[in-house]
């Protein structure tokens, strides 16, 4: 009896032992699996964070350079590489090894002493004259120890170019305004000094004054138009425009100027309608026609017509005057550009007419171009989206 009980107890103990061992091993396996899952997740989180960081750095418009505590490159984003036109791997290199720019190496040394340097400008003459602004700062850990350096590069090239264009524009405008103004001033002074006593001189001088005052007025009008068009403040009022009728209307306005020079105006415009701002389009025709008469030859011809190609209409204004030299063809649409300055001024030109034409056509979604053979005339063409063909 006691023996049987002993055997039973022993069997139970052995059973419990194996059950406990099996469940202990299962718990251990589970714990290991849990640890592995946790480690995998952590690794994934680190990889995700790094990938996110990389995406973030690479999406920045500014060039970013991170240096470690030994001043070696730890990270250079995509914008940085494109600013410096570098494809090679930069990790681990010093600034001098990677870029060979003493000024930047010097800047990093300054950051070491000063903690940060803002608004530092570098000119990269080697690389298409780029101008960069650099902001640099030391990176410190929570204990205040230096961990590295961060440098942010901002491309100022476009901004500087815009600034130069603006300065040139202001200088041009001042010059254009000053010329008629000083003429007016000069003639008024001469009249006041006694020239007014001669009726013939008085009449002649007053006419010069009147012409220059008109030129000033025209220049100011053109300047206001250009500034409105360039700032995008102009909203087009699009309506159906009958091109042939519009050309006829503009011809009527120029009939006198044309006949004064013996120029024939020929309307070859087919029956076409476009979706356009009629007043702006009238200005385009007026500027091109004015030029064709002004710069065309005496007793010549000015023809306006169009052809339809696909979804757009190509309008042309053609003269048979002296034409435009090839080296000026690309430049005539620039503000204040003139092939012959004296001739343009003498004709009362502002140098802004074709620039206004270009802006208006582009605002309609079209394009302008010019072709010319010296001695045979010039053809100015522009495209417009077509609406319907009545002819
Ligand atoms: P402007 O007020 O001087 O006429 P535009 O911008 O209208 O200014 O024209 C720029 C320059 O292009 C003119 O000064 C002239 O030299 C040249 N030009 C324009 N149209 C013609 C043309 N039909 N034939 C020859 N030259 C032209």
């Amino acid at each position: 009896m006691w023996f049987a009980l002993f055997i039973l107890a022993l069997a139970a103990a052995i059973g419990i032992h194996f059950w406990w061992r099996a469940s202990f091993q299962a718990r251990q396996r589970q714990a290991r699996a849990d640890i592995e899952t946790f480690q995998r997740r952590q690794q994934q989180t680190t990889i995700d964070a790094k990938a996110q960081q990389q995406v973030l750095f690479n999406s920045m418009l500014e060039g970013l350079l991170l240096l470690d505590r030994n001043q070696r490159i730890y990270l250079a984003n995509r914008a940085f590489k494109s600013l410096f036109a570098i494809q090679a791997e930069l990790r681990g290199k010093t600034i001098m090894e990677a870029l060979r720019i003493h000024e930047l190496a010097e800047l990093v040394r300054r950051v070491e002493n000063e903690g940060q340097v803002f608004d530092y400008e570098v000119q990269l003459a080697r690389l298409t004259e780029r101008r960069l602004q650099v902001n640099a700062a030391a990176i410190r850990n929570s204990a205040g120890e230096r961990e590295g350096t961060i440098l942010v590069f901002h491309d100022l090239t476009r901004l500087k170019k815009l600034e130069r264009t603006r300065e040139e524009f202001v200088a041009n405008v001042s010059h254009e305004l000053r010329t008629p103004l000083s003429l007016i001033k000069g003639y008024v002074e001469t009249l006041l000094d006694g020239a007014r006593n001669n009726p013939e001189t008085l009449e002649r001088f007053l006419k010069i004054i009147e012409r220059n005052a008109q030129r000033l007025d025209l220049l100011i009008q053109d300047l206001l138009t250009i500034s409105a068009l360039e700032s995008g403040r102009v909203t087009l009022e699009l309506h159906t425009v009958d091109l042939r009728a519009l050309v006829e209307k503009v011809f009527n306005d120029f009939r006198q100027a044309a006949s004064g020079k013996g120029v024939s105006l020929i309307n070859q415009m087919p029956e076409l309608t476009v979706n356009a701002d009629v007043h702006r389009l009238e200005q385009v025709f007026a500027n091109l026609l004015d030029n064709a008469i002004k710069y065309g030859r005496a007793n010549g011809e000015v023809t306006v017509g169009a052809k339809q190609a696909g979804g757009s209409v190509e309008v042309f204004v053609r003269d048979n005057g002296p034409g435009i030299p090839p080296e000026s063809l690309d430049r005539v649409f620039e503000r204040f550009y003139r092939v012959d300055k004296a001739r343009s001024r003498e004709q009362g030109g502002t140098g802004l007419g074709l620039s206004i034409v270009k802006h208006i056509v582009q605002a309609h979604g079209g394009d302008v171009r010019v072709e010319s053979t010296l001695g045979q005339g010039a053809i100015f063409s522009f495209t417009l989206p077509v609406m319907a063909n009545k002819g």
Side-chain angles (χ1 to χ4, degrees):
M1 166 78 180
W2 283 114
F3 181 72
L5 275 177
F6 172 73
I7 294 294
L8 213 66
L10 189 68
I14 290 171
I16 287 171
H17 170 76
F18 278 111
W19 169 81
W20 181 84
R21 232 179 87 167
S23 76
F24 176 74
Q25 279 173 345
R27 273 205 306 275
Q28 261 196 334
R29 269 200 305 276
Q30 184 58 45
R32 255 200 310 273
D34 284 350
I35 288 171
E36 275 169 14
T37 313
F38 177 73
Q39 279 175 333
R40 257 201 314 277
R41 277 200 192 133
Q42 257 208 331
Q43 268 172 2
Q44 193 54 46
T45 313
T46 319
I47 291 170
D48 285 352
K50 273 197 173 157
Q52 261 177 8
Q53 205 180 41
Q54 199 68 30
V55 169
L56 183 78
F57 287 155
N58 281 337
S59 67
M60 283 172 68
L61 289 178
E62 284 83 15
L64 179 83
L65 192 67
L66 288 179
L67 304 180
D68 62 17
R69 56 163 69 94
N70 301 317
Q71 308 298 24
R72 291 192 172 269
I73 297 173
Y74 171 72
L75 188 144
N77 73 349
R78 202 172 288 157
F80 175 86
K81 287 187 162 183
S82 104
L83 274 178
F84 288 86
I86 295 175
Q87 266 129 40
E89 175 59 48
L90 296 179
R91 211 183 159 112
K93 292 186 179 167
T94 63
I95 286 217
M96 272 313 283
E97 285 164 355
L99 306 169
R100 307 205 174 283
I101 301 177
H102 285 276
E103 229 180 324
L104 282 181
E106 187 51 42
L107 177 73
V108 172
R109 267 194 290 280
R110 257 185 74 192
V111 176
E112 235 169 287
N113 299 330
E114 298 171 26
Q116 57 189 36
V117 177
F118 289 147
D119 293 340
Y120 187 83
E121 282 192 25
V122 210
Q123 172 92 40
L124 303 184
R126 277 186 308 133
L127 301 163
T128 59
E129 303 219 331
R130 273 184 191 276
R131 193 153 195 99
L132 306 179
Q133 181 201 55
V134 195
N135 292 321
I139 308 169
R140 298 189 191 282
N141 62 18
S142 51
E145 293 154 339
R146 178 121 186 223
E147 286 279 307
T149 312
I150 180 169
L151 294 107
V152 181
F153 296 81
H154 191 70
D155 193 355
L156 296 182
T157 320
R158 211 175 91 82
L159 219 66
K160 292 276 171 193
K161 202 170 152 214
L162 282 176
E163 206 175 292
R164 238 188 348 261
T165 313
R166 191 187 56 82
E167 280 167 8
E168 270 170 28
F169 183 63
V170 172
N172 272 325
V173 170
S174 319
H175 177 77
E176 295 295 330
L177 290 172
R178 204 174 294 133
T179 317
L181 254 183
S182 49
L183 276 168
I184 293 173
K185 234 174 103 196
Y187 281 101
V188 168
E189 274 166 17
T190 322
L191 285 177
L192 289 173
D193 281 350
R196 66 180 185 278
N197 298 326
N198 179 337
E200 235 177 69
T201 316
L202 178 66
E203 169 92 12
R204 197 158 56 83
F205 283 13
L206 283 177
K207 280 203 169 128
I208 296 174
I209 292 169
E210 187 191 27
R211 204 171 57 235
N212 281 285
Q214 270 167 4
R215 208 175 128 196
L216 272 181
D217 189 34
L218 205 69
L219 185 66
I220 288 164
Q221 272 178 37
D222 278 0
L223 281 172
L224 289 176
T225 310
I226 278 271
S227 108
L229 286 165
E230 286 192 351
S231 69
R233 271 184 283 123
V234 171
T235 40
L236 297 179
E237 289 188 21
L238 299 177
H239 295 289
T240 307
V241 179
D242 178 337
L243 282 180
R244 195 175 160 79
L246 182 63
V247 172
E248 208 44 49
K249 178 172 185 281
V250 182
F251 271 11
N252 281 336
D253 295 340
F254 281 88
R255 206 70 76 191
Q256 205 183 350
S259 66
K261 233 182 133 176
V263 173
S264 316
L265 301 179
I266 304 163
N267 187 352
Q268 282 185 355
M269 183 64 77
E271 291 290 341
L272 282 170
T273 46
V274 288
N275 198 23
D277 183 317
V278 70
H279 297 296
R280 299 280 169 196
L281 195 54
E282 186 175 333
Q283 193 167 12
V284 168
F285 278 114
N287 288 6
L288 293 178
L289 206 62
D290 184 36
N291 281 350
I293 298 170
K294 266 189 331 198
Y295 303 112
R297 65 178 171 85
N299 305 316
E301 278 180 0
V302 176
T303 312
V304 181
K307 60 177 190 297
Q308 192 178 334
S312 66
V313 168
E314 188 172 44
V315 178
F316 67 86
V317 177
R318 185 176 65 218
D319 66 72
N320 58 353
I324 299 168
E327 67 274 13
S328 296
L329 286 175
D330 278 347
R331 304 203 54 195
V332 286
F333 293 101
E334 284 173 25
R335 295 181 301 202
F336 298 115
Y337 181 84
R338 285 124 162 165
V339 178
D340 181 342
K341 273 200 170 72
R343 175 126 194 250
S344 158
R345 294 228 174 84
E346 182 194 297
Q347 305 271 2
T350 61
L352 295 172
L354 288 177
S355 177
I356 291 176
V357 164
K358 183 174 152 186
H359 277 295
I360 296 178
V361 171
Q362 286 180 344
H364 280 85
D367 260 322
V368 278
R369 65 193 174 96
V370 57
E371 294 157 76
S372 176
T373 309
L374 267 184
Q376 291 181 23
I379 310 172
F380 284 87
S381 324
F382 63 91
T383 53
L384 287 174
V386 72
M387 270 198 66
N389 190 348
K390 289 198 278 173

